[in-house]
Amino acid sequence: MNNILVVKNKRFIAKINASKGANLIFLRSSDGAIILREPNYEKGLDNPYLYGMPILFPVNRIEGGKFTFDGREYLFPINEEKTNCHLHGVVHEQPFSIVKQREDRVILSATSIFGGINEFEITLDYKLISNGIKLKTTVKNLSNLKMPIMLGFHTTFNSSFLDGGKNYIKAGFDVEIERDMSNYLPNGNYPKFDDVSLSLLNGTFNPTSKPISRHYRCINSDKIVNYDENSNFSLVYKNSKNLNYRLIYNGNADGYICLEPQTCMANAPKISLKKSESGFDFIKPKSKKVYLSKILLIKGDKR
């Protein structure tokens, strides 16, 4: 049984599934926008990665399901056998408890163990605002040891959020992170931008035109924009600069596009790169870090 919480204001209505990762599964506006790809539980549509805004912790793939940090071995189950990787953690499957709720805001939290070593708490604070929704994510290390932080969101938008949309995606980034597509892990290369990357940078990528699966580092950009030329509305996804890696994915150009912010590169703790390149970070004992996101529906071209 899913515990679905509803928050609303004059323009927006949102639904959060407290039973599974406090996932924002529904965001619509009075303008007629259906912003997120929504699960249909009656039809069994509940892929944890392709509906709503599931939290990923630890984010992306960990080769062999283990890594060493500060002399300790962190272990995770192999849940993607074809690549021999651990994928996306288990927090998105956990029930969250309500900390506070009012008409336009809900705060939820859950505790878990990271890699069998660090106890931690994640708090998700959703608040509707006049032009969208904002999310404050707080990760607190409850243990007496340093804890790796590898956070992301598999935010899955409808390619066209309004009926009859003519949509274009603009994404700012500094480098593409090339991956070995047999296991989707970075191979250490930063390729020259091709036509797909250039179209994303220029704001001319049509999300239904072709399949895309790309990994980027975004030091100098904090947003991705989906612009609907027909309605002259922009859907703007903004993230704080500590969520400065991206994975952009649309299946087989199936009418959705995942715009995934994350704190680090895929497989970051096992890559021999400086933190400035891989993004691999940690939280001190009994300390916390905060991450901010906004989904905004704005009139005009905001590319």
Side-chain angles (χ1 to χ4, degrees), residues 27-29 31-36 157-169 225-229 231-236 255 296-298 300:
L27 182 61
R28 297 190 183 193
S29 80
D31 311 278
I34 302 175
I35 295 168
L36 296 171
F157 295 96
N158 286 312
S159 297
S160 295
F161 51 89
L162 288 163
D163 283 344
K166 186 178 181 182
N167 295 77
Y168 300 99
I169 305 294
V225 179
N226 182 352
Y227 175 61
D228 180 357
E229 188 177 82
S231 68
N232 193 31
F233 267 103
S234 292
L235 189 61
V236 181
L296 308 173
L297 185 64
I298 306 171

PDB file of all heavy atoms in Angstrom, residues 27-29 31-36 157-169 225-229 231-236 255 296-298 300:
ATOM      1  N   LEU A  27       3.610  16.203 -10.618  1.00  0.00           N
ATOM      2  CA  LEU A  27       3.714  17.665 -10.530  1.00  0.00           C
ATOM      3  C   LEU A  27       2.994  18.252 -11.731  1.00  0.00           C
ATOM      4  O   LEU A  27       3.440  18.100 -12.873  1.00  0.00           O
ATOM      5  CB  LEU A  27       5.175  18.112 -10.499  1.00  0.00           C
ATOM      6  CG  LEU A  27       5.413  19.630 -10.365  1.00  0.00           C
ATOM      7  CD1 LEU A  27       4.831  20.160  -9.059  1.00  0.00           C
ATOM      8  CD2 LEU A  27       6.901  19.955 -10.460  1.00  0.00           C
ATOM      9  N   ARG A  28       1.872  18.904 -11.465  1.00  0.00           N
ATOM     10  CA  ARG A  28       1.074  19.507 -12.531  1.00  0.00           C
ATOM     11  C   ARG A  28       0.765  20.954 -12.180  1.00  0.00           C
ATOM     12  O   ARG A  28       0.760  21.342 -11.010  1.00  0.00           O
ATOM     13  CB  ARG A  28      -0.230  18.747 -12.741  1.00  0.00           C
ATOM     14  CG  ARG A  28      -0.048  17.298 -13.192  1.00  0.00           C
ATOM     15  CD  ARG A  28      -1.375  16.705 -13.618  1.00  0.00           C
ATOM     16  NE  ARG A  28      -1.262  15.303 -13.998  1.00  0.00           N
ATOM     17  CZ  ARG A  28      -2.201  14.619 -14.634  1.00  0.00           C
ATOM     18  NH1 ARG A  28      -3.340  15.221 -14.964  1.00  0.00           N
ATOM     19  NH2 ARG A  28      -2.026  13.344 -14.931  1.00  0.00           N
ATOM     20  N   SER A  29       0.474  21.727 -13.238  1.00  0.00           N
ATOM     21  CA  SER A  29       0.145  23.136 -13.025  1.00  0.00           C
ATOM     22  C   SER A  29      -1.236  23.455 -13.577  1.00  0.00           C
ATOM     23  O   SER A  29      -1.775  22.729 -14.422  1.00  0.00           O
ATOM     24  CB  SER A  29       1.182  24.037 -13.701  1.00  0.00           C
ATOM     25  OG  SER A  29       0.913  24.144 -15.083  1.00  0.00           O
ATOM     26  N   ASP A  31      -1.750  25.623 -15.628  1.00  0.00           N
ATOM     27  CA  ASP A  31      -1.552  25.934 -17.045  1.00  0.00           C
ATOM     28  C   ASP A  31      -1.770  24.710 -17.930  1.00  0.00           C
ATOM     29  O   ASP A  31      -1.709  24.805 -19.156  1.00  0.00           O
ATOM     30  CB  ASP A  31      -0.127  26.444 -17.283  1.00  0.00           C
ATOM     31  CG  ASP A  31       0.281  27.532 -16.305  1.00  0.00           C
ATOM     32  OD1 ASP A  31      -0.089  28.681 -16.541  1.00  0.00           O
ATOM     33  OD2 ASP A  31       0.959  27.221 -15.313  1.00  0.00           O
ATOM     34  N   GLY A  32      -1.985  23.548 -17.307  1.00  0.00           N
ATOM     35  CA  GLY A  32      -2.170  22.311 -18.056  1.00  0.00           C
ATOM     36  C   GLY A  32      -0.916  21.484 -18.198  1.00  0.00           C
ATOM     37  O   GLY A  32      -0.931  20.449 -18.881  1.00  0.00           O
ATOM     38  N   ALA A  33       0.165  21.906 -17.567  1.00  0.00           N
ATOM     39  CA  ALA A  33       1.434  21.190 -17.689  1.00  0.00           C
ATOM     40  C   ALA A  33       1.433  19.917 -16.857  1.00  0.00           C
ATOM     41  O   ALA A  33       1.072  19.933 -15.672  1.00  0.00           O
ATOM     42  CB  ALA A  33       2.589  22.082 -17.264  1.00  0.00           C
ATOM     43  N   ILE A  34       1.832  18.812 -17.485  1.00  0.00           N
ATOM     44  CA  ILE A  34       2.083  17.546 -16.788  1.00  0.00           C
ATOM     45  C   ILE A  34       3.595  17.373 -16.821  1.00  0.00           C
ATOM     46  O   ILE A  34       4.173  16.933 -17.815  1.00  0.00           O
ATOM     47  CB  ILE A  34       1.348  16.375 -17.465  1.00  0.00           C
ATOM     48  CG1 ILE A  34      -0.157  16.662 -17.504  1.00  0.00           C
ATOM     49  CG2 ILE A  34       1.615  15.076 -16.731  1.00  0.00           C
ATOM     50  CD1 ILE A  34      -0.958  15.603 -18.268  1.00  0.00           C
ATOM     51  N   ILE A  35       4.247  17.763 -15.747  1.00  0.00           N
ATOM     52  CA  ILE A  35       5.682  18.015 -15.768  1.00  0.00           C
ATOM     53  C   ILE A  35       6.499  16.736 -15.665  1.00  0.00           C
ATOM     54  O   ILE A  35       7.462  16.540 -16.415  1.00  0.00           O
ATOM     55  CB  ILE A  35       6.037  19.022 -14.645  1.00  0.00           C
ATOM     56  CG1 ILE A  35       5.378  20.378 -14.969  1.00  0.00           C
ATOM     57  CG2 ILE A  35       7.543  19.154 -14.478  1.00  0.00           C
ATOM     58  CD1 ILE A  35       5.405  21.372 -13.843  1.00  0.00           C
ATOM     59  N   LEU A  36       6.133  15.855 -14.755  1.00  0.00           N
ATOM     60  CA  LEU A  36       6.888  14.624 -14.533  1.00  0.00           C
ATOM     61  C   LEU A  36       6.194  13.429 -15.182  1.00  0.00           C
ATOM     62  O   LEU A  36       4.966  13.406 -15.317  1.00  0.00           O
ATOM     63  CB  LEU A  36       7.041  14.363 -13.039  1.00  0.00           C
ATOM     64  CG  LEU A  36       7.854  15.384 -12.249  1.00  0.00           C
ATOM     65  CD1 LEU A  36       7.720  15.114 -10.750  1.00  0.00           C
ATOM     66  CD2 LEU A  36       9.314  15.372 -12.661  1.00  0.00           C
ATOM     67  N   PHE A 157      11.258  13.715 -16.660  1.00  0.00           N
ATOM     68  CA  PHE A 157      10.283  14.665 -17.178  1.00  0.00           C
ATOM     69  C   PHE A 157       9.593  14.101 -18.414  1.00  0.00           C
ATOM     70  O   PHE A 157      10.175  13.312 -19.165  1.00  0.00           O
ATOM     71  CB  PHE A 157      10.972  15.970 -17.575  1.00  0.00           C
ATOM     72  CG  PHE A 157      11.582  16.734 -16.441  1.00  0.00           C
ATOM     73  CD1 PHE A 157      12.932  16.606 -16.139  1.00  0.00           C
ATOM     74  CD2 PHE A 157      10.817  17.596 -15.669  1.00  0.00           C
ATOM     75  CE1 PHE A 157      13.509  17.316 -15.108  1.00  0.00           C
ATOM     76  CE2 PHE A 157      11.382  18.310 -14.625  1.00  0.00           C
ATOM     77  CZ  PHE A 157      12.730  18.176 -14.342  1.00  0.00           C
ATOM     78  N   ASN A 158       8.363  14.541 -18.647  1.00  0.00           N
ATOM     79  CA  ASN A 158       7.748  14.321 -19.949  1.00  0.00           C
ATOM     80  C   ASN A 158       8.476  15.188 -20.972  1.00  0.00           C
ATOM     81  O   ASN A 158       8.729  16.370 -20.720  1.00  0.00           O
ATOM     82  CB  ASN A 158       6.264  14.688 -19.915  1.00  0.00           C
ATOM     83  CG  ASN A 158       5.442  13.662 -19.164  1.00  0.00           C
ATOM     84  OD1 ASN A 158       5.578  12.466 -19.389  1.00  0.00           O
ATOM     85  ND2 ASN A 158       4.582  14.129 -18.270  1.00  0.00           N
ATOM     86  N   SER A 159       8.825  14.596 -22.109  1.00  0.00           N
ATOM     87  CA  SER A 159       9.522  15.375 -23.144  1.00  0.00           C
ATOM     88  C   SER A 159       8.708  16.601 -23.536  1.00  0.00           C
ATOM     89  O   SER A 159       9.238  17.694 -23.693  1.00  0.00           O
ATOM     90  CB  SER A 159       9.778  14.506 -24.372  1.00  0.00           C
ATOM     91  OG  SER A 159      10.626  13.436 -24.057  1.00  0.00           O
ATOM     92  N   SER A 160       7.402  16.396 -23.715  1.00  0.00           N
ATOM     93  CA  SER A 160       6.481  17.503 -23.946  1.00  0.00           C
ATOM     94  C   SER A 160       5.579  17.615 -22.727  1.00  0.00           C
ATOM     95  O   SER A 160       4.793  16.709 -22.457  1.00  0.00           O
ATOM     96  CB  SER A 160       5.638  17.264 -25.204  1.00  0.00           C
ATOM     97  OG  SER A 160       6.453  17.245 -26.351  1.00  0.00           O
ATOM     98  N   PHE A 161       5.720  18.679 -21.997  1.00  0.00           N
ATOM     99  CA  PHE A 161       4.957  18.837 -20.752  1.00  0.00           C
ATOM    100  C   PHE A 161       3.606  19.515 -20.974  1.00  0.00           C
ATOM    101  O   PHE A 161       2.785  19.572 -20.062  1.00  0.00           O
ATOM    102  CB  PHE A 161       5.786  19.602 -19.708  1.00  0.00           C
ATOM    103  CG  PHE A 161       6.393  20.895 -20.204  1.00  0.00           C
ATOM    104  CD1 PHE A 161       5.684  22.082 -20.116  1.00  0.00           C
ATOM    105  CD2 PHE A 161       7.664  20.907 -20.746  1.00  0.00           C
ATOM    106  CE1 PHE A 161       6.239  23.262 -20.565  1.00  0.00           C
ATOM    107  CE2 PHE A 161       8.239  22.088 -21.192  1.00  0.00           C
ATOM    108  CZ  PHE A 161       7.523  23.283 -21.113  1.00  0.00           C
ATOM    109  N   LEU A 162       3.368  20.027 -22.180  1.00  0.00           N
ATOM    110  CA  LEU A 162       2.072  20.561 -22.579  1.00  0.00           C
ATOM    111  C   LEU A 162       1.650  19.901 -23.886  1.00  0.00           C
ATOM    112  O   LEU A 162       2.497  19.559 -24.717  1.00  0.00           O
ATOM    113  CB  LEU A 162       2.148  22.084 -22.763  1.00  0.00           C
ATOM    114  CG  LEU A 162       2.273  22.904 -21.478  1.00  0.00           C
ATOM    115  CD1 LEU A 162       2.756  24.317 -21.781  1.00  0.00           C
ATOM    116  CD2 LEU A 162       0.933  22.960 -20.743  1.00  0.00           C
ATOM    117  N   ASP A 163       0.349  19.724 -24.074  1.00  0.00           N
ATOM    118  CA  ASP A 163      -0.147  19.086 -25.294  1.00  0.00           C
ATOM    119  C   ASP A 163       0.356  19.820 -26.543  1.00  0.00           C
ATOM    120  O   ASP A 163       0.335  21.056 -26.602  1.00  0.00           O
ATOM    121  CB  ASP A 163      -1.677  19.080 -25.300  1.00  0.00           C
ATOM    122  CG  ASP A 163      -2.253  18.013 -24.385  1.00  0.00           C
ATOM    123  OD1 ASP A 163      -1.489  17.112 -23.998  1.00  0.00           O
ATOM    124  OD2 ASP A 163      -3.450  18.092 -24.055  1.00  0.00           O
ATOM    125  N   GLY A 164       0.803  19.031 -27.520  1.00  0.00           N
ATOM    126  CA  GLY A 164       1.221  19.614 -28.784  1.00  0.00           C
ATOM    127  C   GLY A 164       2.513  20.383 -28.722  1.00  0.00           C
ATOM    128  O   GLY A 164       2.774  21.236 -29.582  1.00  0.00           O
ATOM    129  N   GLY A 165       3.339  20.079 -27.730  1.00  0.00           N
ATOM    130  CA  GLY A 165       4.564  20.833 -27.555  1.00  0.00           C
ATOM    131  C   GLY A 165       5.596  20.590 -28.649  1.00  0.00           C
ATOM    132  O   GLY A 165       5.680  19.499 -29.212  1.00  0.00           O
ATOM    133  N   LYS A 166       6.363  21.621 -28.948  1.00  0.00           N
ATOM    134  CA  LYS A 166       7.534  21.529 -29.821  1.00  0.00           C
ATOM    135  C   LYS A 166       8.726  21.890 -28.951  1.00  0.00           C
ATOM    136  O   LYS A 166       8.975  23.065 -28.697  1.00  0.00           O
ATOM    137  CB  LYS A 166       7.391  22.476 -31.015  1.00  0.00           C
ATOM    138  CG  LYS A 166       8.504  22.338 -32.048  1.00  0.00           C
ATOM    139  CD  LYS A 166       8.254  23.289 -33.219  1.00  0.00           C
ATOM    140  CE  LYS A 166       9.344  23.149 -34.276  1.00  0.00           C
ATOM    141  NZ  LYS A 166       9.118  24.109 -35.406  1.00  0.00           N
ATOM    142  N   ASN A 167       9.436  20.861 -28.462  1.00  0.00           N
ATOM    143  CA  ASN A 167      10.350  21.048 -27.346  1.00  0.00           C
ATOM    144  C   ASN A 167      11.816  20.952 -27.739  1.00  0.00           C
ATOM    145  O   ASN A 167      12.189  20.170 -28.607  1.00  0.00           O
ATOM    146  CB  ASN A 167      10.045  20.014 -26.259  1.00  0.00           C
ATOM    147  CG  ASN A 167       8.677  20.196 -25.647  1.00  0.00           C
ATOM    148  OD1 ASN A 167       7.668  19.830 -26.244  1.00  0.00           O
ATOM    149  ND2 ASN A 167       8.637  20.797 -24.476  1.00  0.00           N
ATOM    150  N   TYR A 168      12.617  21.735 -27.014  1.00  0.00           N
ATOM    151  CA  TYR A 168      14.068  21.752 -27.209  1.00  0.00           C
ATOM    152  C   TYR A 168      14.750  21.812 -25.842  1.00  0.00           C
ATOM    153  O   TYR A 168      14.318  22.564 -24.958  1.00  0.00           O
ATOM    154  CB  TYR A 168      14.498  22.941 -28.054  1.00  0.00           C
ATOM    155  CG  TYR A 168      13.871  22.950 -29.434  1.00  0.00           C
ATOM    156  CD1 TYR A 168      12.758  23.745 -29.702  1.00  0.00           C
ATOM    157  CD2 TYR A 168      14.386  22.148 -30.449  1.00  0.00           C
ATOM    158  CE1 TYR A 168      12.178  23.741 -30.963  1.00  0.00           C
ATOM    159  CE2 TYR A 168      13.805  22.135 -31.711  1.00  0.00           C
ATOM    160  CZ  TYR A 168      12.700  22.927 -31.954  1.00  0.00           C
ATOM    161  OH  TYR A 168      12.113  22.918 -33.199  1.00  0.00           O
ATOM    162  N   ILE A 169      15.819  21.039 -25.701  1.00  0.00           N
ATOM    163  CA  ILE A 169      16.561  20.965 -24.445  1.00  0.00           C
ATOM    164  C   ILE A 169      17.856  21.758 -24.559  1.00  0.00           C
ATOM    165  O   ILE A 169      18.585  21.633 -25.543  1.00  0.00           O
ATOM    166  CB  ILE A 169      16.916  19.508 -24.078  1.00  0.00           C
ATOM    167  CG1 ILE A 169      15.657  18.630 -24.045  1.00  0.00           C
ATOM    168  CG2 ILE A 169      17.655  19.450 -22.739  1.00  0.00           C
ATOM    169  CD1 ILE A 169      14.670  18.967 -22.968  1.00  0.00           C
ATOM    170  N   VAL A 225      17.191  23.427 -19.325  1.00  0.00           N
ATOM    171  CA  VAL A 225      15.923  24.033 -19.734  1.00  0.00           C
ATOM    172  C   VAL A 225      15.271  23.188 -20.825  1.00  0.00           C
ATOM    173  O   VAL A 225      15.932  22.779 -21.786  1.00  0.00           O
ATOM    174  CB  VAL A 225      16.134  25.473 -20.257  1.00  0.00           C
ATOM    175  CG1 VAL A 225      14.803  26.085 -20.704  1.00  0.00           C
ATOM    176  CG2 VAL A 225      16.781  26.354 -19.191  1.00  0.00           C
ATOM    177  N   ASN A 226      13.974  22.922 -20.658  1.00  0.00           N
ATOM    178  CA  ASN A 226      13.151  22.315 -21.699  1.00  0.00           C
ATOM    179  C   ASN A 226      12.186  23.402 -22.184  1.00  0.00           C
ATOM    180  O   ASN A 226      11.251  23.770 -21.475  1.00  0.00           O
ATOM    181  CB  ASN A 226      12.396  21.110 -21.131  1.00  0.00           C
ATOM    182  CG  ASN A 226      11.558  20.398 -22.190  1.00  0.00           C
ATOM    183  OD1 ASN A 226      11.416  20.857 -23.312  1.00  0.00           O
ATOM    184  ND2 ASN A 226      10.986  19.264 -21.810  1.00  0.00           N
ATOM    185  N   TYR A 227      12.444  23.910 -23.369  1.00  0.00           N
ATOM    186  CA  TYR A 227      11.638  25.014 -23.901  1.00  0.00           C
ATOM    187  C   TYR A 227      10.615  24.499 -24.906  1.00  0.00           C
ATOM    188  O   TYR A 227      10.954  23.766 -25.839  1.00  0.00           O
ATOM    189  CB  TYR A 227      12.537  26.053 -24.575  1.00  0.00           C
ATOM    190  CG  TYR A 227      11.768  27.164 -25.255  1.00  0.00           C
ATOM    191  CD1 TYR A 227      10.921  27.993 -24.519  1.00  0.00           C
ATOM    192  CD2 TYR A 227      11.865  27.374 -26.629  1.00  0.00           C
ATOM    193  CE1 TYR A 227      10.205  29.006 -25.132  1.00  0.00           C
ATOM    194  CE2 TYR A 227      11.159  28.386 -27.255  1.00  0.00           C
ATOM    195  CZ  TYR A 227      10.318  29.198 -26.500  1.00  0.00           C
ATOM    196  OH  TYR A 227       9.595  30.204 -27.111  1.00  0.00           O
ATOM    197  N   ASP A 228       9.360  24.885 -24.695  1.00  0.00           N
ATOM    198  CA  ASP A 228       8.276  24.542 -25.616  1.00  0.00           C
ATOM    199  C   ASP A 228       7.998  25.755 -26.497  1.00  0.00           C
ATOM    200  O   ASP A 228       7.427  26.752 -26.046  1.00  0.00           O
ATOM    201  CB  ASP A 228       7.029  24.161 -24.816  1.00  0.00           C
ATOM    202  CG  ASP A 228       5.837  23.792 -25.705  1.00  0.00           C
ATOM    203  OD1 ASP A 228       5.970  23.892 -26.943  1.00  0.00           O
ATOM    204  OD2 ASP A 228       4.793  23.423 -25.164  1.00  0.00           O
ATOM    205  N   GLU A 229       8.415  25.641 -27.755  1.00  0.00           N
ATOM    206  CA  GLU A 229       8.285  26.760 -28.691  1.00  0.00           C
ATOM    207  C   GLU A 229       6.830  27.098 -28.979  1.00  0.00           C
ATOM    208  O   GLU A 229       6.471  28.264 -29.173  1.00  0.00           O
ATOM    209  CB  GLU A 229       9.020  26.404 -29.986  1.00  0.00           C
ATOM    210  CG  GLU A 229       9.133  27.527 -30.981  1.00  0.00           C
ATOM    211  CD  GLU A 229       9.942  27.111 -32.206  1.00  0.00           C
ATOM    212  OE1 GLU A 229       9.365  26.470 -33.111  1.00  0.00           O
ATOM    213  OE2 GLU A 229      11.156  27.401 -32.238  1.00  0.00           O
ATOM    214  N   SER A 231       4.067  26.814 -27.005  1.00  0.00           N
ATOM    215  CA  SER A 231       3.380  27.516 -25.913  1.00  0.00           C
ATOM    216  C   SER A 231       4.189  28.679 -25.364  1.00  0.00           C
ATOM    217  O   SER A 231       3.667  29.486 -24.590  1.00  0.00           O
ATOM    218  CB  SER A 231       3.083  26.543 -24.770  1.00  0.00           C
ATOM    219  OG  SER A 231       4.297  26.129 -24.148  1.00  0.00           O
ATOM    220  N   ASN A 232       5.470  28.743 -25.718  1.00  0.00           N
ATOM    221  CA  ASN A 232       6.398  29.746 -25.197  1.00  0.00           C
ATOM    222  C   ASN A 232       6.529  29.640 -23.670  1.00  0.00           C
ATOM    223  O   ASN A 232       6.606  30.624 -22.958  1.00  0.00           O
ATOM    224  CB  ASN A 232       5.983  31.172 -25.592  1.00  0.00           C
ATOM    225  CG  ASN A 232       7.093  32.192 -25.331  1.00  0.00           C
ATOM    226  OD1 ASN A 232       8.281  31.874 -25.411  1.00  0.00           O
ATOM    227  ND2 ASN A 232       6.708  33.410 -24.997  1.00  0.00           N
ATOM    228  N   PHE A 233       6.579  28.371 -23.195  1.00  0.00           N
ATOM    229  CA  PHE A 233       6.863  28.102 -21.788  1.00  0.00           C
ATOM    230  C   PHE A 233       8.201  27.383 -21.673  1.00  0.00           C
ATOM    231  O   PHE A 233       8.550  26.545 -22.518  1.00  0.00           O
ATOM    232  CB  PHE A 233       5.788  27.213 -21.164  1.00  0.00           C
ATOM    233  CG  PHE A 233       4.677  27.964 -20.483  1.00  0.00           C
ATOM    234  CD1 PHE A 233       3.436  28.105 -21.097  1.00  0.00           C
ATOM    235  CD2 PHE A 233       4.864  28.524 -19.219  1.00  0.00           C
ATOM    236  CE1 PHE A 233       2.404  28.786 -20.474  1.00  0.00           C
ATOM    237  CE2 PHE A 233       3.841  29.211 -18.584  1.00  0.00           C
ATOM    238  CZ  PHE A 233       2.609  29.347 -19.211  1.00  0.00           C
ATOM    239  N   SER A 234       8.941  27.702 -20.619  1.00  0.00           N
ATOM    240  CA  SER A 234      10.186  27.015 -20.302  1.00  0.00           C
ATOM    241  C   SER A 234      10.046  26.253 -18.994  1.00  0.00           C
ATOM    242  O   SER A 234       9.542  26.800 -18.002  1.00  0.00           O
ATOM    243  CB  SER A 234      11.346  28.008 -20.158  1.00  0.00           C
ATOM    244  OG  SER A 234      11.679  28.598 -21.381  1.00  0.00           O
ATOM    245  N   LEU A 235      10.488  25.014 -19.019  1.00  0.00           N
ATOM    246  CA  LEU A 235      10.605  24.214 -17.805  1.00  0.00           C
ATOM    247  C   LEU A 235      12.081  24.250 -17.417  1.00  0.00           C
ATOM    248  O   LEU A 235      12.945  23.765 -18.155  1.00  0.00           O
ATOM    249  CB  LEU A 235      10.140  22.783 -18.070  1.00  0.00           C
ATOM    250  CG  LEU A 235       9.999  21.865 -16.863  1.00  0.00           C
ATOM    251  CD1 LEU A 235       8.975  22.420 -15.884  1.00  0.00           C
ATOM    252  CD2 LEU A 235       9.599  20.474 -17.313  1.00  0.00           C
ATOM    253  N   VAL A 236      12.376  24.862 -16.281  1.00  0.00           N
ATOM    254  CA  VAL A 236      13.758  25.093 -15.852  1.00  0.00           C
ATOM    255  C   VAL A 236      14.053  24.221 -14.638  1.00  0.00           C
ATOM    256  O   VAL A 236      13.346  24.288 -13.628  1.00  0.00           O
ATOM    257  CB  VAL A 236      13.982  26.577 -15.507  1.00  0.00           C
ATOM    258  CG1 VAL A 236      15.435  26.811 -15.072  1.00  0.00           C
ATOM    259  CG2 VAL A 236      13.627  27.471 -16.694  1.00  0.00           C
ATOM    260  N   GLY A 255       9.386   9.595 -25.246  1.00  0.00           N
ATOM    261  CA  GLY A 255       8.450  10.582 -24.708  1.00  0.00           C
ATOM    262  C   GLY A 255       8.794  11.050 -23.317  1.00  0.00           C
ATOM    263  O   GLY A 255       8.028  11.804 -22.708  1.00  0.00           O
ATOM    264  N   LEU A 296      10.972  24.778 -12.210  1.00  0.00           N
ATOM    265  CA  LEU A 296      10.232  26.018 -12.422  1.00  0.00           C
ATOM    266  C   LEU A 296       9.556  26.011 -13.787  1.00  0.00           C
ATOM    267  O   LEU A 296      10.162  25.609 -14.789  1.00  0.00           O
ATOM    268  CB  LEU A 296      11.181  27.218 -12.337  1.00  0.00           C
ATOM    269  CG  LEU A 296      12.066  27.293 -11.083  1.00  0.00           C
ATOM    270  CD1 LEU A 296      13.067  28.438 -11.218  1.00  0.00           C
ATOM    271  CD2 LEU A 296      11.220  27.459  -9.835  1.00  0.00           C
ATOM    272  N   LEU A 297       8.309  26.460 -13.837  1.00  0.00           N
ATOM    273  CA  LEU A 297       7.565  26.621 -15.082  1.00  0.00           C
ATOM    274  C   LEU A 297       7.393  28.108 -15.320  1.00  0.00           C
ATOM    275  O   LEU A 297       6.687  28.782 -14.580  1.00  0.00           O
ATOM    276  CB  LEU A 297       6.219  25.912 -14.996  1.00  0.00           C
ATOM    277  CG  LEU A 297       5.375  25.894 -16.260  1.00  0.00           C
ATOM    278  CD1 LEU A 297       6.065  25.121 -17.377  1.00  0.00           C
ATOM    279  CD2 LEU A 297       3.988  25.300 -15.993  1.00  0.00           C
ATOM    280  N   ILE A 298       8.069  28.606 -16.356  1.00  0.00           N
ATOM    281  CA  ILE A 298       8.184  30.056 -16.565  1.00  0.00           C
ATOM    282  C   ILE A 298       7.790  30.412 -17.985  1.00  0.00           C
ATOM    283  O   ILE A 298       8.198  29.740 -18.950  1.00  0.00           O
ATOM    284  CB  ILE A 298       9.623  30.543 -16.284  1.00  0.00           C
ATOM    285  CG1 ILE A 298      10.076  30.114 -14.873  1.00  0.00           C
ATOM    286  CG2 ILE A 298       9.728  32.046 -16.439  1.00  0.00           C
ATOM    287  CD1 ILE A 298      11.542  30.368 -14.604  1.00  0.00           C
ATOM    288  N   GLY A 300       8.048  32.215 -21.433  1.00  0.00           N
ATOM    289  CA  GLY A 300       9.160  32.763 -22.202  1.00  0.00           C
ATOM    290  C   GLY A 300      10.267  31.770 -22.415  1.00  0.00           C
ATOM    291  O   GLY A 300      10.295  30.687 -21.827  1.00  0.00           O
TER     292      GLY A 300
END
